[in-house]
Amino acid sequence: MKIVKVIGGLGNQMFQFALYKALQNRFPEERILLDLHCFNGYHKHRGFEIGQLFHADYEEASLREVAKMAYPYPNYQCWRFGSRILPNRPTMLKERPNYAFEPSVFSRKGDTYYDGYWQHEEYFSAIRKDLLQTFVFTGFEENERNLATARLITSKNSCAIHIRRGDYVKDKLFRNICDIDYYKDAIQLMTEKTHPEIFCIFSDDTHWCHVHLSSLLGKAETVYTDWNTGRNSFYDMHLMSLCRHQIIANSSFSWWGAWLNRNDAKVVIGPRKWWNINGAHTPISNSWLII
């Protein structure tokens, strides 16, 4: 039996779920489960969204099953404190502090509890076709504005730009990485390589984007997608994926917007630095450009 702990916002959940699917593929004779107990009392995002947004099948682990190989935290607060002071059990595989790729993910025998974000496509690139069929958003056709935008960006040479501010502005782990200089250089490089006809801007701070990006986008048509808010925010990821090219932030949300893009000739630009941690590894795909 193998169990994958899930925590975080939608993008992080998708990384963890992708590992879950990859483990199912690698160990078809074993039960592969998800530990969702940390979402009890977790108020940072919108709870576990995979089951709500996608046609995704999964089996959830009970606390008794978790207790066989890890600490059975019943809620987020218990995990938050307990994970800092309790040592790893032999059956636990915890992601490295620098977020480096962990080669033992698929070589461990027997019961294993996976605790981490697992933000490397090497864990699941072998099942890309399966994930593209799994991560298909439902209900998109019900929003006419999204449909109109989808028609527009798929009919032209389009580039998505994701600017995440909000919680990142004061977060010591993520702040000041994708600043205006990053977007200036990324837009210039993208313009040289792909000559976009239209830029589609995705952000939780549209006013900041109007003030700081307008002068950088030249004469290209620009769409600011500011209507997908709250529980509809996930539609932005789908629209991002429909653009032909992407400039992403140091955010798992736009990472997936780029990875789900099915354009074989896509150009994706991401930041060289992902976290404010010395020596931390970036999840940027080897086929993407980094600046």
Side-chain angles (χ1 to χ4, degrees):
M1 181 167 63
K2 301 186 186 304
I3 299 176
V4 179
K5 180 178 72 65
V6 185
I7 194 64
L10 177 59
N12 285 330
Q13 292 174 36
M14 291 170 71
F15 275 114
Q16 293 157 346
F17 193 82
L19 176 65
Y20 168 80
K21 297 294 288 185
L23 289 170
Q24 283 186 323
N25 182 69
R26 185 65 65 93
F27 302 102
E29 74 286 354
E30 293 192 54
R31 288 180 68 207
I32 314 296
L33 311 175
L34 295 179
D35 179 8
L36 304 180
H37 292 93
C38 280
F39 285 106
N40 296 328
Y42 183 71
H43 305 298
K44 285 188 176 182
H45 299 284
R46 283 174 283 276
F48 183 63
E49 295 185 88
I50 299 292
Q52 305 170 34
L53 306 183
F54 308 114
H55 294 303
D57 296 324
Y58 59 90
E59 185 176 358
E60 188 173 347
S62 66
L63 278 178
R64 179 174 293 183
E65 288 168 324
V66 172
K68 292 179 180 179
M69 59 187 78
Y71 301 104
Y73 300 116
N75 55 52
Y76 173 67
Q77 290 300 331
C78 288
W79 168 79
R80 183 184 177 194
F81 292 107
S83 61
R84 296 175 180 176
I85 61 175
L86 295 175
N88 276 356
R89 292 172 56 180
T91 47
M92 294 174 63
L93 179 60
K94 198 165 186 177
E95 190 172 32
R96 301 181 186 188
N98 66 350
Y99 302 103
F101 177 77
E102 176 54 69
S104 68
V105 160
F106 296 114
S107 62
R108 287 178 61 109
K109 305 294 183 181
D111 292 348
T112 305
Y113 183 91
Y114 296 84
D115 185 354
Y117 292 109
W118 315 109
Q119 296 178 342
H120 288 277
E121 69 170 337
E122 290 86 349
Y123 293 127
F124 48 82
S125 56
I127 60 166
R128 176 173 170 80
K129 290 184 178 179
D130 291 339
L131 290 176
L132 288 176
Q133 294 177 352
T134 299
F135 293 147
V136 176
F137 293 103
T138 60
F140 186 80
E141 65 281 353
E142 299 173 6
N143 187 301
E144 181 55 41
R145 198 169 187 184
N146 281 331
L147 285 176
T149 303
R151 288 192 291 267
L152 176 64
I153 60 181
T154 54
S155 66
K156 297 185 177 184
N157 185 25
S158 54
C159 174
I161 303 178
H162 182 222
I163 299 92
R164 181 167 175 176
R165 287 178 55 77
D167 57 337
Y168 271 27
V169 172
K170 296 183 179 180
D171 193 316
K172 292 186 294 185
L173 191 60
F174 297 105
R175 67 187 181 190
N176 300 326
I177 294 178
C178 291
D179 56 14
I180 188 59
D181 289 332
Y182 164 73
Y183 287 105
K184 180 179 179 180
D185 293 342
I187 291 169
Q188 181 178 342
L189 180 59
M190 183 65 74
T191 300
E192 292 172 356
K193 287 190 167 294
T194 69
H195 307 288
E197 299 173 278
I198 182 171
F199 287 99
C200 198
I201 313 300
F202 301 89
S203 179
D204 52 6
D205 191 344
T206 305
H207 175 72
W208 186 95
C209 296
H210 276 286
V211 171
H212 292 88
L213 296 186
S214 298
S215 61
L216 304 178
L217 300 176
K219 297 181 180 180
E221 185 178 356
T222 305
V223 175
Y224 293 87
T225 58
D226 57 1
W227 56 88
N228 290 319
T229 59
R231 288 211 165 265
N232 290 330
S233 298
F234 67 92
Y235 287 133
D236 275 359
M237 185 187 292
H238 180 57
L239 288 174
M240 285 184 204
S241 73
L242 296 179
C243 291
R244 295 188 188 179
H245 313 286
Q246 283 83 20
I247 295 173
I248 69 172
N250 57 325
S251 166
S252 58
F253 190 91
S254 52
W255 191 99
W256 280 102
W259 198 84
L260 294 175
N261 179 358
R262 303 188 184 210
N263 174 22
D264 292 334
K266 68 184 177 184
V267 173
V268 179
I269 298 175
R272 185 177 303 276
K273 184 178 180 181
W274 199 262
W275 298 277
N276 288 315
I277 300 175
N278 291 333
H281 288 237
T282 174
I284 296 295
S285 169
N286 291 331
S287 62
W288 299 352
L289 302 177
I290 57 175
I291 60 174

